[in-house]
Amino acid sequence: MTRKELKSEEYNSYYDHYLNLVPEAATIDTILKTSLEDTLDFVKAIDKPFDSTYGEGKWTIGEVLMHNIDTERVFAYRALRFMRGDLTPLPGFDQDIFARDYKNYAFAKADLLNSFQTTRNATIDLFKSITADQLMIKGMASDSAMSVRVIPFLIAGHNKHHENVIMERYLS
């Protein structure tokens, strides 16, 4: 299935921005792999220190990348819960609570690349053997319905959003 086939009732409209960063023709079978390759290339090409920021109180490049990794882990967990039939409503997650501890990390490029690749490979593996019925399961997260099949596209779109932010605000 392609990103274009997603229905608006499968996710909160808050996520439209992220989904629109993913090509309509992108498929659920390839989007995570393509996004992985693109992100690895993007991160490898960054020549600024990862503790660089563009303003007072803003995250560093390393913190933005760690946020992407954490967000993917949260979304993959949601997918796992829903696809296994656990439809207990899940709370949202507060990115600022997650980021509080980021100041304790050195954010070496090699470590972030490894963490991102490990996390993405686990997400790819999670979706590798999913059935068509499991893709259609909807659960509740952050007080909104979300289908399993929207999650890979959200992960890729969220990643792309933050890569764009890094390009526009940190690297320009």
Side-chain angles (χ1 to χ4, degrees):
M1 64 113 357
T2 64
R3 201 267 300 164
K4 185 176 182 175
E5 295 174 56
L6 294 175
K7 308 287 186 237
S8 60
E9 62 270 8
E10 293 183 65
Y11 59 92
N12 186 308
S13 62
Y14 169 84
Y15 297 118
D16 280 336
H17 170 70
Y18 301 125
L19 292 172
N20 289 331
L21 293 174
V22 175
E24 287 186 341
T27 68
I28 201 160
D29 294 330
T30 60
I31 190 58
L32 292 172
K33 291 176 188 167
T34 303
S35 174
L36 169 62
E37 294 163 6
D38 292 347
T39 297
L40 292 176
D41 290 342
F42 175 78
V43 173
K44 287 175 186 175
I46 295 173
D47 60 358
K48 275 193 160 185
F50 279 29
D51 62 354
S52 299
T53 185
Y54 69 91
E56 184 68 31
K58 299 298 182 182
W59 288 348
T60 66
I61 293 171
E63 289 170 333
V64 172
L65 296 172
M66 191 67 217
H67 164 71
N68 276 353
I69 293 165
D70 282 349
T71 300
E72 179 161 342
R73 290 171 172 155
V74 169
F75 276 98
Y77 176 71
R78 290 175 179 177
L80 174 64
R81 292 277 300 265
F82 300 159
M83 68 197 298
R84 297 293 188 254
D86 182 348
L87 301 181
T88 305
L90 299 173
F93 82 103
D94 185 330
Q95 67 183 17
D96 294 321
I97 291 173
F98 277 55
R100 273 192 313 221
D101 193 43
Y102 290 168
K103 299 288 183 223
N104 295 322
Y105 295 94
F107 295 117
K109 184 185 277 193
D111 291 340
L112 281 168
L113 285 166
N114 182 60
S115 187
F116 179 78
Q117 189 162 16
T118 300
T119 300
R120 179 56 58 87
N121 284 336
T123 304
I124 290 168
D125 188 61
L126 176 66
F127 281 92
K128 189 167 33 178
S129 61
I130 194 168
T131 67
D133 288 341
Q134 287 173 319
L135 284 172
M136 298 307 295
I137 295 172
K138 283 187 199 171
M140 293 293 289
S142 301
D143 298 320
S144 297
M146 176 182 285
S147 72
V148 172
R149 74 182 190 162
V150 78
I151 292 174
F153 299 108
L154 282 176
I155 289 170
H158 177 264
N159 222 53
K160 184 64 177 169
H161 163 76
H162 284 290
E163 288 173 13
N164 291 344
V165 169
I166 290 171
M167 284 294 295
E168 295 165 9
R169 297 184 185 164
Y170 294 77
L171 304 178
S172 60

